């Protein structure tokens, strides 16, 4: 939705008097991101060919942290600043393990860079700001509701994700800003949970910014962490009261090639029994690096059987970014 058509209610916007830093100056570090992806890209069907969100300037030279799904396989990126300037950008890196992405502005932004949190902040109960591009009217005063494990259906897991409430309506790539003006995290998802009274509560899942400094050098030099890739199976899975069930597979991915079917239930990876998503992904990644054969025990029509999947590097399915 165009930024002119919505804004955070004034009573939920951050109050400049509550912060020791210049709020409006800090919010200028958050820029709008628009990415264009070719129709034949692997992620085009699931994520679309036109993606919009935000990113946060983290270095004076125009380096921007964002959420990786906005820029994966992008051929064209445009950045829009608080004062309406449009500047091209380049998709520099995407780390599948954290979900974080980097964009390099290809022109001068002349915007402040936010320092990155490097420790264990924020903690539950802390008050923060979750800001998408557009200044104070697109900034939300929120509370850290939890720090806990998060497992995603797309072969993804964070050990210590940040969950904030209330939820921001434009969360993708939004910057979580702490009380000292540091970048605490990057917005990734919106989720629903029930509170103690059975009411639905919307939360944002935020990737901790502290995950970026240890891999930043590699991302800048190689576009990825400089280590062997995890094995990828091309599985999309969910969990219910009975365990883990396959919801779909990546077309022509290892799971589809091995004969995995929608509705199969996964009982074990090798000799490791699994009962939830985090256990599934940990067991898969423990088998070795990309290319390793992964043995799954499944049930189909109540009959157990074993399948062997030839894992690959997920990156081999994606279009590489154009060089600049």
């Amino acid at each position: 939705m165009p930024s002119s058509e919505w804004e955070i209610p004034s009573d939920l916007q951050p109050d400049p008097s509550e912060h020791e830093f210049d709020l409006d100056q800090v919010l200028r570090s958050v820029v709008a991101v628009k990415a264009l992806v070719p129709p034949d890209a692997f992620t085009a069907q699931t994520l679309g060919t036109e993606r919009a969100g935000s990113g946060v300037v983290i270095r004076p030279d125009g380096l921007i942290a964002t959420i990786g799904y906005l820029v994966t396989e992008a051929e064209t990126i445009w950045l829009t600043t608080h004062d309406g300037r449009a500047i091209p950008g380049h998709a520099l890196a995407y780390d599948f393990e954290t979900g974080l992405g980097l964009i390099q502005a290809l022109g001068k932004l002349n915007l402040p860079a936010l320092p990155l949190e490097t420790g264990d902040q924020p903690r539950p109960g802390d008050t923060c700001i979750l800001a998408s591009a557009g200044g104070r009217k697109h900034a939300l005063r929120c509370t850290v509701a939890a720090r806990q494990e998060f497992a995603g259906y797309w072969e993804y897991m964070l050990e210590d994700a940040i969950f904030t409430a209330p939820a921001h309506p434009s969360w993708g790539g939004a910057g979580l800003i702490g009380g000292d003006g540091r970048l605490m995290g990057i917005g990734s998802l919106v989720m629903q949970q029930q509170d103690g009274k059975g009411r639905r509560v919307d939360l944002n899942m935020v990737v901790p910014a502290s995950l970026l400094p240890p891999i930043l050098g590699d991302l800048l030099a190689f576009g990825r962490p400089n280590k062997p890739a995890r094995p990828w199976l091309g599985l999309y899975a969910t969990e219910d009261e009975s365990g883990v069930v396959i919801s779909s597979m990546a077309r022509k991915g290892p799971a589809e090639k091995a004969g995995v079917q929608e509705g199969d239930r996964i009982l074990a990876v090798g000799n490791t029994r699994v009962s939830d998503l985090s256990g599934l992904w940990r067991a898969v990644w423990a088998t070795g690096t990309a290319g390793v054969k992964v043995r799954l025990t499944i049930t189909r029509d109540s009959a157990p059987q074993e399948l062997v999947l030839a894992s690959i590097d997920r990156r081999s399915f994606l279009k590489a970014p154009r060089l600049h």
Side-chain angles (χ1 to χ4, degrees):
M1 138 185 347
S3 61
S4 60
E5 294 183 9
W6 68 278
E7 62 181 63
I8 299 293
S10 58
D11 59 325
L12 297 179
Q13 295 177 19
D15 183 348
S17 66
E18 296 178 353
H19 302 280
E20 297 181 358
F21 55 84
D22 185 332
L23 176 62
D24 291 324
Q25 179 75 353
V26 164
L27 293 179
R28 287 172 185 156
S29 300
V30 186
V31 299
V33 176
K34 182 174 182 180
L36 302 178
V37 176
D40 61 341
F42 173 67
T43 58
Q45 271 198 323
T46 53
L47 298 175
T49 58
E50 294 189 18
R51 304 171 196 168
S54 301
V56 184
V57 180
I58 59 171
R59 288 203 326 198
D61 63 359
L63 185 65
I64 292 166
T66 187
I67 199 68
Y69 60 72
L70 286 179
V71 297
T72 183
E73 300 190 281
E75 283 189 342
T76 303
I77 293 178
W78 285 99
L79 310 168
T80 305
T81 63
H82 67 286
D83 52 0
R85 289 178 293 129
I87 295 166
H90 171 61
L92 195 62
Y94 180 13
D95 175 37
F96 295 116
E97 294 189 16
T98 63
L100 295 170
L102 293 178
I103 302 170
Q104 179 62 55
L106 299 179
K108 289 188 176 181
L109 290 175
N110 296 321
L111 296 176
L114 293 193
L116 293 170
E117 168 61 30
T118 57
D120 61 356
Q121 301 299 315
R123 305 310 304 166
D126 288 353
T127 299
C128 296
I129 300 166
L130 190 57
S132 63
R136 209 183 307 173
K137 67 181 181 179
H138 289 174
L140 174 71
R141 187 176 68 253
C142 63
T143 300
V144 177
R147 294 290 303 263
Q148 63 189 46
E149 179 183 275
F150 170 80
Y153 66 85
W154 62 97
E155 301 186 48
Y156 175 78
M157 192 185 72
L158 290 177
E159 298 281 354
D160 194 25
I162 303 169
F163 295 86
T164 62
H168 197 294
S170 182
W171 60 85
L176 185 68
I177 301 165
D180 58 357
R182 300 176 72 84
L183 180 64
M184 298 289 176
I186 296 291
S188 176
L189 298 170
V190 66
M191 306 174 62
Q192 288 80 39
Q193 290 189 349
Q194 286 191 335
D195 64 13
K197 298 181 179 179
R199 297 171 300 191
R200 192 189 79 168
V201 178
D202 290 343
L203 303 172
N204 285 128
M205 192 280 278
V206 178
V207 180
S210 58
L211 297 176
L212 185 53
I215 60 173
L216 184 57
D218 282 356
L219 295 184
L220 293 175
F222 307 108
R224 60 181 295 172
N226 188 25
K227 62 180 182 179
R230 286 173 170 171
W232 182 72
L233 304 182
L235 286 178
Y236 303 113
T238 60
E239 60 183 63
D240 57 22
E241 297 82 0
S242 301
V244 179
V245 61
I246 302 300
S247 55
S248 62
M249 289 85 60
R251 192 168 68 88
K252 297 183 180 180
E256 184 181 84
K257 289 181 177 179
V260 176
Q261 295 180 15
E262 183 178 334
D264 288 349
R265 287 192 171 272
I266 299 180
L267 301 180
V269 178
N271 296 321
T272 302
R273 294 193 66 84
V274 297
S275 58
D276 55 23
L277 282 180
S278 58
L280 170 60
W281 304 141
R282 281 194 179 99
V284 170
W285 299 333
T287 60
T289 59
V292 69
K293 287 183 165 48
V294 179
R295 177 167 53 91
L296 298 184
T297 303
I298 66 165
T299 56
R300 181 183 301 161
D301 299 325
S302 301
Q305 59 179 285
E306 287 192 353
L307 297 172
V308 177
L309 283 63
S311 69
I312 63 172
D313 180 350
R314 184 195 315 239
R315 199 171 298 269
S316 66
F317 260 48
L318 306 180
K319 288 182 176 290
R322 289 180 176 176
L323 297 178
H324 286 264

